[in-house]
Amino acid sequence: SGAPAGPGLEVVRAGALTTVQDAGRTGWAHLGVPRAGALDGPARCLANRLVGNAPDAAVLETTLTGCAVRVSGVRPLTAVVGGAVCGVTVDGRPVAWGAPVRVPPGAVLEAGPALHGLRSYLAFGGGLVPEPVLGSRSADLLSGLGPPVLRDGDVLPVGAVAPGHSCPAAGPVPWPGVPAELVLPVHPGPRDDWFTPAALRTLTTAVYRVAAQSNRIGLRTEGPSLARARGGELPSEGMVLGAVQVPPDGRPVVFLNDHPTTGGYPVVGVVAASALAAAAQAPPGTPVRFVRA
């Protein structure tokens, strides 16, 4: 038609694990579909607010190494890089982290490796608009629904900014810090009776650490094993966000957004969902304490 292509992003450097995420794919667990969505929900909301988007607009979630994207189309984009603190550049020139920046057509926005925290969020005015699946644009690493993990050369469409829209005035914004220690309030049950009294004391008194094997499915821990009071296996039962499942090695796993919707290992407790944003930003080695909610 000769009309200029709509705005988009070309992936120049995909990084270790960069995905498109919004508020998630809720309401499908009964069909075995995980919720997905940004692990650090408050960071997603704040980044979107700073570029004038709705809080649930789709953003990029990076893991540890950041990413770089080139703006295509004919108009500049307003972007914010928040979440994990990192260096931010536009065509190699340093710009502000955690505040709106203007990225001209053809320019490359780069979020560098995380300096504090684990996952950075890149929001763009208009939001990312890949085709939704079951009502969400989130990548789900467990089921494979939604946009695939980003690779170099991928192109992502960006939505139109509403006419007359202007970004909110951006003074200093209080981004949450990264905790030196992850404190997770845990509600006991439903299967705490499968563990010895000593194991239940250990859970709420020992110091665990975030294991390197942690991912969007679950926060794995290193530390003392929790001894079972009874053997055998459970029939598979429903799993919720924040469930603390105990596999055969006895070390607790906290289920995050891409967790399976059912499981057969006993759940000793459930972590309050409000505490999970901090879990999203805790690098391997971070001390973890479970406290009785």
Side-chain angles (χ1 to χ4, degrees), residues 43-140:
R44 181 202 77 237
C45 290
L46 184 49
N48 272 322
R49 182 163 68 81
L50 287 173
V51 295
N53 290 342
D56 59 351
V59 300
L60 292 180
E61 177 184 276
T62 71
T63 310
L64 205 56
T65 61
C67 71
V69 292
R70 177 181 285 108
V71 172
S72 59
V74 295
R75 68 170 168 88
L77 292 181
T78 302
V80 163
V81 180
V85 177
C86 62
V88 185
T89 61
V90 172
D91 277 349
R93 294 186 298 277
V95 295
W97 172 89
V101 296
R102 183 178 180 275
V103 188
V108 173
L109 172 72
E110 178 150 25
L115 303 173
H116 303 289
L118 196 57
R119 294 177 171 93
S120 296
Y121 291 88
L122 285 69
F124 300 87
L128 303 176
V129 290
E131 198 64 33
V133 178
L134 297 180
S136 169
R137 295 184 163 97
S138 288
D140 170 4

Side-chain angles (χ1 to χ4, degrees), residues 87-239:
V88 185
T89 61
V90 172
D91 277 349
R93 294 186 298 277
V95 295
W97 172 89
V101 296
R102 183 178 180 275
V103 188
V108 173
L109 172 72
E110 178 150 25
L115 303 173
H116 303 289
L118 196 57
R119 294 177 171 93
S120 296
Y121 291 88
L122 285 69
F124 300 87
L128 303 176
V129 290
E131 198 64 33
V133 178
L134 297 180
S136 169
R137 295 184 163 97
S138 288
D140 170 4
L141 302 190
L142 188 69
S143 71
L145 293 178
V149 173
L150 260 60
R151 297 189 302 183
D152 293 359
D154 285 352
V155 175
L156 291 168
V158 177
V161 176
H165 171 86
S166 61
C167 278
V173 173
W175 287 90
V178 176
E181 179 182 60
L182 192 56
V183 179
L184 299 177
V186 62
H187 297 270
R191 301 295 178 184
D192 51 331
D193 58 343
W194 279 54
F195 298 88
T196 65
L200 298 177
R201 281 195 301 276
T202 295
L203 178 68
T204 54
T205 55
V207 175
Y208 289 85
R209 291 189 182 275
V210 176
Q213 296 79 18
S214 299
N215 55 27
R216 285 185 45 86
I217 295 168
L219 179 102
R220 295 181 177 274
T221 63
E222 297 168 346
S225 293
L226 301 182
R228 295 258 293 254
R230 54 188 290 186
E233 290 305 323
L234 285 159
S236 280
E237 52 189 4
M239 292 289 146

